[in-house]
Amino acid sequence: LSYVSGTPNPTSVVGNVVTWNLGSIFTLGLKTAHLTLQVPADVGLIGTDLAANALVSISQAEPDLSNNSFNTITTVTASFDPNDKQAFTESNNDGSYFIDEDEWIDYTIRFQNTGTDTAFFVVITDTLPNTVDPASFVTGAASHNYTMDLSGQGILRFTFPNILLPDSNVNELASHGFVTFRIKAMEPVLPGTMIENIANIYFDYNEPVITEPSVLVTDFSTRIRDLDTGSRMVLAPNPTSGLVWVQLDATVDRNGSLRVLAMDGRLLLDERMTGQRTLLDLTELGPGAYLLEWTGNEGARLVMPIIRD
């Protein structure tokens, strides 16, 4: 594997070790580091196991180090068929279209002449499913000059005239071609919708090569979005003898859930919140420090410490 990028920028990249210094983190807080690596384009690697280890440490002493590392093994997979259709979204989640994150679907149709002679022309047809909007269709890059036609109920036709595509036995590198386009999902996009599509690839007058289906399943993202807690949620009084007012900023979604957690993560209280201000009763809790967590219906989260005196 070779290093491509990291988010946020790593503190160091030395050999096969990538290191981040993520700064301070509050109780029940969340920090994320994203790493992109490149797998060589070598079919001989198919079936290879890629082992990775993630290790986290903090400056303070910890009583339990058993949950500070995670090992994962990913097996390299690929298709031997050089003719395929791939779908990509802005969130780059394989097989998923996130309704609250994605707008465009980018398709790439790849083809290769694996015959025994030059292909003089190539035609690709693609009947778009009713889960995408033909009116939003936008052409993209291609390996060779082509003409495009969109007709009927979303019937795409890409024609590569006089492409003179050599067969892979004569010139493997030049035997490949591709075409790309982008399109939007048909509104309204409902969770659980399957966006499935295939392409038919004609080399000269031969029978078409039909690609495996490219499949996207729509859903909502489960990513948690942390907000600036101090300016978004106010607790009064804090410390409290039992009753405490919880008030949310006007910019925060009013609908969500309130949970009171012990410092070891145990759930002690859980109730719904449907307005900007609510009264929380903590009289049954003993004196001590707790965490008040608000989670909105759209995944945003606020966490603040609260003292029961």
Side-chain angles (χ1 to χ4, degrees):
L1 301 179
S2 57
Y3 172 81
V4 176
S5 63
T7 304
N9 290 328
T11 307
S12 67
V13 180
V14 180
N16 65 343
V17 178
V18 182
T19 304
W20 286 271
N21 184 347
L22 298 177
S24 61
I25 184 170
F26 296 104
T27 303
L28 297 182
L30 175 69
K31 293 278 187 176
T32 301
H34 182 78
L35 179 64
T36 300
L37 303 173
Q38 177 69 48
V39 180
D42 181 358
V43 296
L45 294 176
I46 296 176
T48 302
D49 287 336
L50 307 177
N53 172 257
L55 176 67
V56 62
S57 61
I58 62 175
S59 57
Q60 296 95 330
E62 288 189 79
D64 181 11
L65 300 176
S66 63
N67 61 357
N68 284 20
S69 64
F70 182 80
N71 297 293
T72 181
I73 295 179
T74 303
T75 303
V76 177
T77 61
S79 171
F80 283 107
D81 188 350
N83 304 285
D84 64 5
K85 182 172 185 179
Q86 300 175 326
F88 303 92
T89 64
E90 285 109 320
S91 59
N92 289 320
N93 285 278
D94 184 31
S96 296
Y97 176 99
F98 287 151
I99 299 170
D100 50 345
E101 291 187 19
D102 297 322
E103 181 180 11
W104 291 96
I105 303 171
D106 291 294
Y107 283 108
T108 299
I109 303 173
R110 303 186 299 178
F111 54 90
Q112 182 185 19
N113 179 8
T114 57
T116 57
D117 199 358
T118 299
F120 291 89
F121 65 88
V122 172
V123 175
I124 300 174
T125 62
D126 184 340
T127 301
L128 298 173
N130 58 12
T131 48
V132 298
D133 182 7
S136 66
F137 174 84
V138 178
T139 57
S143 57
H144 302 78
N145 292 330
Y146 70 93
T147 61
M148 190 280 300
D149 178 66
L150 177 58
S151 61
Q153 299 298 314
I155 301 175
L156 282 174
R157 183 182 180 93
F158 300 95
T159 302
F160 295 83
N162 198 33
I163 191 173
L164 300 179
L165 198 68
D167 67 81
S168 57
N169 299 297
V170 173
N171 189 334
E172 203 283 335
L173 184 62
S175 67
H176 296 265
F178 72 90
V179 65
T180 66
F181 67 90
R182 63 176 3 197
I183 200 166
K184 295 182 179 180
M186 183 66 76
E187 298 287 347
V189 185
L190 302 178
T193 300
M194 182 177 293
I195 303 174
E196 181 175 347
N197 203 1
I198 63 171
N200 303 288
I201 306 171
Y202 298 82
F203 295 91
D204 293 335
Y205 297 101
N206 295 307
E207 291 294 316
V209 176
I210 303 174
T211 66
E212 289 292 322
S214 64
V215 179
L216 293 172
V217 179
T218 64
D219 202 353
F220 286 102
S221 170
T222 57
R223 184 180 65 182
I224 293 175
R225 297 179 296 280
D226 289 314
L227 303 177
D228 180 7
T229 303
S231 63
R232 302 296 182 93
M233 181 167 65
V234 176
L235 308 181
N238 187 20
T240 176
S241 59
L243 298 178
V244 59
W245 283 102
V246 180
Q247 180 160 330
L248 300 176
D249 184 86
T251 61
V252 177
D253 176 18
R254 313 291 177 79
N255 298 316
S257 62
L258 281 173
R259 304 198 312 164
V260 177
L261 305 169
M263 284 302 183
D264 60 4
R266 288 179 295 113
L267 178 62
L268 304 176
L269 182 65
D270 188 358
E271 64 178 60
R272 295 293 301 170
M273 183 172 181
T274 57
Q276 185 178 355
R277 194 165 184 255
T278 190
L279 185 63
L280 196 62
D281 187 355
L282 306 181
T283 53
E284 294 187 3
L285 299 182
Y290 300 92
L291 290 172
L292 180 63
E293 178 189 64
W294 172 86
T295 304
N297 290 344
E298 296 182 356
R301 187 178 66 168
L302 302 169
V303 179
M304 287 191 71
I306 187 170
I307 305 298
R308 169 77 164 86
D309 58 15

